[in-house]
Amino acid sequence: MLTHHSLQFLRNLNQNNNREWFQANRQDYDKTKVEFENTCQEILNGISQFQPNLLNTTVKSCLLRINRDIRFSNDKSPYKKYIAAGFGPGGKSSGFVDYYLQIQPGESFLGGGMWSPTPTQLTNFRQEIDYNPQHLKGIIENSLFRDYYKEIHGEKVKKMPKGYPIDHPEIELLKYKQLFFVHRYSDEDVTHPNFANEVIEGCKILKPYLDYINEIFFGQTD
């Protein structure tokens, strides 16, 4: 499980984001990494029970590197302020729309959904809404789903997408060019012994929406 040690390490890293400090505190990072790996292994084991295509996925393949890619960034801080994992078949680089978990003091969350679709994928998404809006609405307006994922996140276009009338009954859904969901966790949630099970339940609730998106984008569920 994750402990207050891991959250404190991330707080300290945020205040001392340089290689000299990181190397001097490498043991604390290693402990944090082990705690996160163990937590992610529990989560992966749980998700695999309702998503069998994750059964052969290793936890190491799900973990994101803590090092930042600073080549094209004005911010030259070498490390991320968080630790994170992507849970998909084969790991974080599955190519599907998968579950994403980020741990950061005061800002931890589980999320997933349509983040950066290609133009073709976005067109297909809008066509599906136009053809059968009740499929998507039946998922995201379900009471269990809405209790856990309380709002839709994502950018919208200001004008109606080309090819759709301005008085379309699903105008607001059609305007989305991103559509994803997030559930946030407090630091107390993250360090609770039941945290892994809480994330597993969150993934189970999110799964119908991810299946919906993966079917539209790739012709198959994740």
Side-chain angles (χ1 to χ4, degrees):
M1 62 175 280
L2 287 162
T3 68
H4 290 288
H5 170 276
S6 292
L7 294 182
Q8 189 58 51
F9 170 79
L10 291 170
R11 292 188 193 97
N12 293 341
L13 176 60
N14 187 34
Q15 297 298 318
N16 303 275
N17 201 325
N18 60 78
R19 290 181 176 83
E20 292 76 18
W21 182 90
F22 190 88
Q23 291 304 321
N25 293 270
R26 184 79 195 199
Q27 287 186 336
D28 286 336
Y29 168 67
D30 290 341
K31 181 178 179 181
T32 297
K33 186 178 179 182
V34 168
E35 289 187 359
F36 189 51
E37 284 182 354
N38 291 340
T39 300
C40 288
Q41 185 64 67
E42 290 184 62
I43 294 168
L44 186 58
N45 292 345
I47 299 173
S48 298
Q49 298 305 305
F50 55 84
Q51 195 156 320
N53 60 359
L54 270 71
L55 282 170
N56 296 320
T57 298
T58 64
V59 70
K60 289 187 183 298
S61 68
C62 296
L63 303 178
L64 277 68
R65 297 176 72 245
I66 197 167
N67 301 77
R68 294 181 63 246
D69 184 351
I70 61 175
R71 291 174 298 172
F72 308 108
S73 174
N74 291 327
D75 178 4
K76 298 304 180 182
S77 303
Y79 305 105
K80 298 169 184 171
K81 303 175 182 179
Y82 57 85
I83 46 179
F87 300 97
K92 61 183 179 294
S93 302
S94 72
F96 291 99
V97 179
D98 298 321
Y99 312 99
Y100 176 77
L101 176 66
Q102 181 169 307
I103 304 299
Q104 182 176 352
E107 300 184 43
S108 300
F109 67 89
L110 170 69
M114 186 174 70
W115 175 257
S116 55
T118 66
T120 298
Q121 289 171 342
L122 185 56
T123 295
N124 292 343
F125 173 76
R126 287 171 173 157
Q127 286 176 346
E128 184 63 26
I129 292 174
D130 183 43
Y131 173 71
N132 182 17
Q134 294 309 316
H135 187 180
L136 174 60
K137 294 170 75 172
I139 295 169
I140 65 177
E141 293 180 1
N142 173 274
S143 59
L144 179 63
F145 191 99
R146 293 194 69 172
D147 284 346
Y148 206 81
Y149 299 99
K150 299 186 183 299
E151 61 179 308
I152 298 174
H153 295 268
E155 294 184 10
K156 285 180 166 183
V157 296
K158 294 182 179 180
K159 297 181 179 180
M160 195 61 177
K162 186 177 180 180
Y164 296 99
I166 196 168
D167 61 347
H168 194 289
E170 305 302 336
I171 182 172
E172 293 306 316
L173 280 176
L174 287 168
K175 283 184 177 180
Y176 280 102
K177 56 182 180 179
Q178 298 174 316
L179 199 156
F180 59 94
F181 294 89
V182 169
H183 180 87
R184 301 191 182 279
Y185 301 109
S186 68
D187 291 351
E188 290 73 23
D189 293 331
V190 170
T191 55
H192 193 281
N194 196 49
F195 178 61
N197 289 330
E198 175 68 24
V199 174
I200 292 165
E201 288 304 307
C203 291
K204 186 181 294 185
I205 294 169
L206 187 58
K207 184 178 189 297
Y209 176 61
L210 299 194
D211 285 348
Y212 172 85
I213 293 296
N214 281 312
E215 179 67 30
I216 292 172
F217 284 5
F218 309 109
Q220 64 184 88
T221 56
D222 189 355

